[in-house]
Amino acid sequence: MADDTTPVQALKDGIRRFANVRGWEPYHTPKNLVMALASEVGELCDVFRWLTADESVAAANDPALREAVADELADVANIVFLLSDHTGIDLGDAIAAKMRKNEIKYPPPAGAEIGT
């Protein structure tokens, strides 16, 4: 399921099915999902906790660290998808709207090329 060929909706459907089969639906309130998200972000932080800046950049080249980062990143994404689903917020729309706001809030420096 590569990023360039996988629709967000397919990922959301998959994680929803996974949770439903296990009977986790009653526990997936927005509050609980946000708490779980914070926990998973903490686990992702733990992978990088004592690495230097250079070591963190190189982490993706170390098979064990790469797998740990991928696992935790997937956990974070899964919970983001569930939270999106349970709040009825379309992630594509939300990201596009936020990018428009960010373009106003953080204009490029004078002379910077746009679109690269």
Side-chain angles (χ1 to χ4, degrees):
M1 295 185 84
D3 285 355
D4 62 349
T5 59
T6 306
V8 170
Q9 190 60 53
L11 296 170
K12 288 170 69 173
D13 290 346
I15 189 63
R16 185 185 320 106
R17 278 191 304 273
F18 181 89
N20 285 343
V21 166
R22 287 155 180 79
W24 295 349
E25 188 70 22
Y27 307 104
H28 287 170
T29 63
K31 178 202 114 0
N32 286 353
L33 290 169
V34 169
M35 301 292 278
L37 180 59
S39 297
E40 293 300 340
V41 169
E43 291 180 22
L44 180 58
C45 289
D46 192 48
V47 175
F48 291 97
R49 182 169 313 217
W50 302 114
L51 300 181
T52 65
D54 288 340
E55 289 169 336
S56 73
V57 170
N61 297 323
D62 176 288
L65 283 176
R66 183 180 183 86
E67 181 177 5
V69 171
D71 285 349
E72 298 310 331
L73 196 55
D75 286 341
V76 168
N78 285 338
I79 294 173
V80 167
F81 294 143
L82 283 169
L83 185 58
S84 166
D85 191 51
H86 285 270
T87 58
I89 295 172
D90 183 284
L91 281 175
D93 290 344
I95 290 168
K98 184 61 176 179
M99 289 304 297
R100 287 190 298 274
K101 291 175 186 176
N102 285 346
E103 287 173 358
I104 294 166
K105 187 174 182 179
Y106 306 107
E113 283 190 44
I114 308 237
T116 56

